Amino acid sequence: MKSRMQKLSYVFVIAVFALSVIVGTAYGAPEKELLEMQTQLADQAKALEEMRATIDALTSDKESEVSFRSPFVFSGNKASSVVLYGHVNRALLAADDGNDSDVYQVDNSASQSRFGIRGTIKVSDDLMFGTLLEAGLNVNPSDSVSQENPRDNGDSNFTRRHVDLYVKHKGWGTFSMGHGSTASDDTTSLDLSGTYLAGASAVSDYAGGLIFYDKNLNSLTGVNISKIYNSMDGLGRDARVRYDSPSFGGAMISGSWVADGGGDVAVRYDGELADIQVVGAIAYARPSDTSDTVKNLYDGSVALLFDSGFNLAFASGLQEYKQDRADDGTFYYLKLGYKAMMASFGETRFSVDFGQYDDNLTISNGVARQYGKGDVIGAQVVQDIKDFGTELYAGYYFYDLDADISSYESIHALITGLRIKF
C-alpha cells in the first residue's frame, strides 16, 4: 500500500507538471509565469508528500488493531483494541386480554436493541484493562406497551446499560467500577436452551405492559403483567464496585457494593458433570436504599444441557419486604427444551416452560399492594442463521392471575420477531 500510494503521488505530480508545460508552451506563456507555475507545482508536490506520510503513519499504527469486520473503527490509544458491536431486535406482539385483541410493533425487551463499544488493553499474558460503553434503544419496548399506550418509549429514547471499566488478572480476579451488572444480576436467568429470545424466567419481558381485564367491572384494571410476574433477578445493573474471583474448577465468587449502600454476593458454576454441561448460580442481595420495598433477596437458577440436545432450566427466588405484615414474595420457573441442527444454516431450538409468581409487592401512589398469584405457561421456537448473525423466533405465553379481590381475564400473548447482530 505504501509503495502504491507513493507511485501514484509521483505520477500525479509529473502528469500535472507535464500538462502545464505543454499548455504554457502552446499559448506562449512568459518565462515569469512558467516559473510561478513551477513554484506552485512544487508546493503542491510537497503537500501531497506530507499527506502521504500522514496516511502511512495512520495505517502503520492501526493496521494490527483493525479487523476485517470493522475496518473503520480506530482507537485513540495505540495500546488498545476497540470493538463496535450491537443488534436490532424487532417483533410483533399479538395479545388478547379476554375482552379485546390487538397487535403491537415492539422492541423485544428480553434482548433490547443496543449498540456498544468495548475497549481492551493487554498489558501482559496475565493482566488486561478494559472499558465498556453500551446503550439500549427504547422504541416501543415489549414490557411497556399496553392497551392504553401502544407506543410507550419510556422517559428517554436511550437506556444507560454500561459505563464501566475493569482490571482483570488471571490469578487475582476482576475488579470493575462504574455502571454495570451487579454480582447478583442474571442469577435467575441461566438457560442453555437458546430460546430466551422468545421465553425465559423473566416472563414479563415479552408482554409486561399489558393490563388485566376485570370481568366484574367490565374494564381494564391498574394491574399489568409486570406487577405480578417478578423474576427477582438480583440487583440488576447499577452504579457499583464489583469483584469477581478467578474460576476454581468452574466455580467463582462475586460481590458488589452499590452506590446507595446496597450490596450483594453470588456464587456461580460453569462446567461439566458426567458429560452434562452445567451452569448454576445462587445469590443474596440487600438492596438497602436502592429499593423502597425489598429488604432481603435470595435467588438462584441452574441449567443442564445433555449431549442429545435436551436441556432443562430451573429458577427460583424469595423476597422479604420492608413493609409490615407483607407476605414474602416467591417465584419458581421450569423449562424443558431441545435443540438440534435440523438445517444446514443453523441450530433449531424448541422449549416449553411454566412458572408461578406469588405475592410480588409494588407501590402505586404511595400504597403498597400485593395482587395475588400469577401462573404462566409458554412455548417457544428459535431458528439460528449462524453465518449472518440472525435469529428468527416465536413465543406464546398464557398469563393467568388468581386474586381474592377481583376476577381477572387471562391474557394470551404471541411474540414473533427477528434479531440481527452486527
Side-chain angles (χ1 to χ4, degrees):
M1 178 178 176
K2 193 170 181 179
S3 60
R4 181 182 296 178
M5 290 186 61
Q6 189 176 33
K7 290 178 181 178
L8 288 174
S9 300
Y10 292 160
V11 169
F12 176 77
V13 173
I14 293 170
V16 173
F17 177 78
L19 181 61
S20 300
V21 172
I22 293 171
V23 173
T25 302
Y27 287 92
E31 183 178 352
K32 182 179 179 180
E33 294 181 6
L34 287 174
L35 289 173
E36 290 177 353
M37 293 176 64
Q38 290 175 4
T39 301
Q40 292 174 0
L41 288 170
D43 291 340
Q44 292 174 1
K46 183 179 179 181
L48 287 170
E49 181 65 22
E50 290 175 352
M51 289 175 62
R52 179 193 62 76
T54 300
I55 293 172
D56 286 345
L58 286 172
T59 303
S60 61
D61 285 345
K62 307 301 176 186
E63 210 166 39
S64 61
E65 298 171 14
V66 183
S67 69
F68 172 76
R69 296 178 63 184
S70 55
F72 303 112
V73 180
F74 297 103
S75 168
N77 180 353
K78 293 193 297 182
S80 69
S81 61
V82 175
V83 175
L84 172 66
Y85 67 92
H87 64 250
V88 176
N89 187 359
R90 299 297 295 172
L92 295 177
L93 172 63
D96 187 327
D97 62 15
N99 177 66
D100 199 4
S101 60
D102 207 344
V103 178
Y104 308 88
Q105 297 184 35
V106 298
D107 194 276
N108 188 343
S109 298
S111 180
Q112 179 186 30
S113 293
R114 70 193 67 172
F115 62 89
I117 300 174
R118 181 182 294 109
T120 56
I121 301 174
K122 186 177 180 180
V123 180
S124 68
D125 290 340
D126 294 330
L127 180 62
M128 181 174 69
F129 298 156
T131 59
L132 179 59
L133 299 173
E134 186 178 284
L137 304 175
N138 296 323
V139 187
N140 298 353
S142 60
D143 63 353
S144 299
V145 297
S146 69
Q147 300 94 315
E148 297 176 341
N149 192 359
R151 295 173 65 88
D152 189 348
N153 291 328
D155 298 330
S156 171
N157 290 325
F158 296 93
T159 298
R160 180 179 63 245
R161 294 179 59 85
H162 292 276
V163 184
D164 207 6
L165 62 82
Y166 63 89
V167 179
K168 183 176 182 179
H169 190 278
K170 285 185 179 180
W172 301 340
T174 303
F175 172 82
S176 306
M177 183 167 61
H179 188 277
S181 292
T182 58
S184 58
D185 189 25
D186 286 339
T187 48
T188 66
S189 61
L190 297 183
D191 186 348
L192 296 175
S193 68
T195 62
Y196 74 94
L197 287 175
S201 60
V203 295
S204 61
D205 281 350
Y206 309 96
L210 296 180
I211 303 168
F212 285 95
Y213 186 84
D214 192 310
K215 300 177 186 178
N216 298 329
L217 299 177
N218 292 322
S219 66
L220 293 172
T221 66
V223 184
N224 63 23
I225 288 172
S226 291
K227 289 184 177 181
I228 308 301
Y229 298 88
N230 182 357
S231 63
M232 306 179 188
D233 198 14
L235 298 184
R237 291 184 299 273
D238 208 333
R240 88 294 184 244
V241 175
R242 171 174 170 170
Y243 171 75
D244 297 280
S245 75
S247 177
F248 300 100
M252 61 176 290
I253 301 173
S254 305
S256 58
W257 169 59
V258 181
D260 292 336
D264 55 4
V265 292
V267 178
R268 288 177 169 82
Y269 176 80
D270 186 350
E272 287 192 0
L273 298 174
D275 296 327
I276 302 172
Q277 186 178 348
V278 180
V279 293
I282 55 173
Y284 165 74
R286 188 175 181 85
S288 189
D289 293 339
T290 64
S291 173
D292 294 329
T293 59
V294 179
K295 181 179 180 180
N296 294 297
L297 169 61
Y298 311 86
D299 69 62
S301 60
V302 62
L304 310 176
L305 175 61
F306 300 89
D307 289 340
S308 62
F310 284 100
N311 51 85
L312 290 169
F314 176 78
S316 183
L318 182 147
Q319 291 183 153
E320 296 175 347
Y321 296 113
K322 297 178 180 179
Q323 285 70 20
D324 293 335
R325 296 185 300 277
D327 294 329
D328 293 342
T330 61
F331 94 96
Y332 71 88
Y333 170 86
L334 180 65
K335 176 187 274 191
L336 171 64
Y338 175 75
K339 56 185 178 180
M341 289 293 295
M342 296 182 177
S344 60
F345 50 80
E347 200 171 57
T348 306
R349 307 154 186 164
F350 304 93
S351 61
V352 292
D353 55 359
F354 170 80
Q356 188 173 98
Y357 300 72
D358 199 6
D359 287 328
N360 183 50
L361 188 146
T362 61
I363 295 180
S364 179
N365 298 321
V367 179
R369 293 286 303 274
Q370 290 179 299
Y371 293 97
K373 180 182 68 174
D375 292 333
V376 63
I377 300 173
Q380 303 83 31
V381 59
V382 175
Q383 178 60 59
D384 182 35
I385 306 176
K386 186 175 181 181
D387 290 343
F388 297 99
T390 299
E391 291 153 295
L392 307 171
Y393 59 86
Y396 164 79
Y397 271 125
F398 171 78
Y399 301 92
D400 183 68
L401 174 57
D402 182 13
D404 295 332
I405 58 175
S406 297
S407 180
Y408 298 102
E409 293 279 7
S410 300
I411 294 177
H412 300 264
L414 174 66
I415 188 168
T416 179
L418 171 71
R419 181 175 72 172
I420 300 177
K421 301 177 181 179
F422 63 84

